[in-house]
Amino acid sequence: AAEVRSAAERLVGTGRPWEAAALCLAAAARAAEPATARELLGAGRTLRGRISPDRAIGRDGLSRREREVGRLVLDGLTQREIGARLYISPKTVEQHVARLRQKLVAGNRAELVAALRARLAQPGQRRTG
């Protein structure tokens, strides 16, 4: 358990808390001793609290990055343009859009845009259409 926690802390030190938490949770699943499993589960849960805001899920059920991509979709940008704006590949944008469609239960781009308008409307902002 101590070696796993040490490796996890090194991962956190390199900016990879998600992987550190996953390491602890995977090690807990394979631990032979219940006390070791509990210790590793606790460490994994603690490390999950350090996950960057990019991966943290907001009240609307979307990550910060998904909200960024969604706003750019609403602005009418193509996947290539969104990728250039966010410094990610168009394929990564495609994956974010697919995840947005899944989360928002949108069968096509028009339904996605309508769902994004409803979900990402700013407080006090008037909805049209």
Side-chain angles (χ1 to χ4, degrees):
E3 289 178 37
V4 171
R5 281 197 331 259
S6 176
E9 286 299 329
R10 286 193 303 276
L11 282 168
V12 169
T14 62
R16 302 179 71 166
W18 183 266
E19 290 82 357
L23 173 68
C24 288
L25 298 175
R30 294 183 177 186
E33 297 292 322
T36 301
R38 280 191 299 276
E39 179 183 347
L40 290 169
L41 283 171
R45 288 183 188 119
T46 299
L47 291 169
R48 271 195 308 206
R50 295 187 188 175
I51 293 173
S52 75
D54 281 349
R55 293 197 180 183
I57 303 300
R59 286 184 214 175
D60 59 6
L62 304 177
S63 71
R64 188 176 82 172
R65 181 60 100 185
E66 288 166 343
R67 284 190 295 278
E68 287 176 319
V69 169
R71 285 187 184 97
L72 294 174
V73 167
L74 285 175
D75 288 343
L77 275 65
T78 66
Q79 291 181 357
R80 178 173 280 178
E81 292 167 333
I82 293 169
R85 177 97 37 108
L86 299 177
Y87 303 103
I88 58 178
S89 76
K91 188 71 173 173
T92 302
V93 174
E94 182 181 327
Q95 292 170 349
H96 285 301
V97 170
R99 206 165 26 254
L100 282 166
R101 285 181 56 187
Q102 182 180 17
K103 285 183 176 183
L104 300 176
V105 193
N108 56 44
R109 192 166 181 100
E111 289 176 6
L112 175 63
V113 168
L116 286 169
R117 278 191 185 123
R119 184 71 62 102
L120 300 178
Q122 299 295 323
Q125 181 181 14
R126 219 174 91 203
R127 292 188 193 163
T128 59

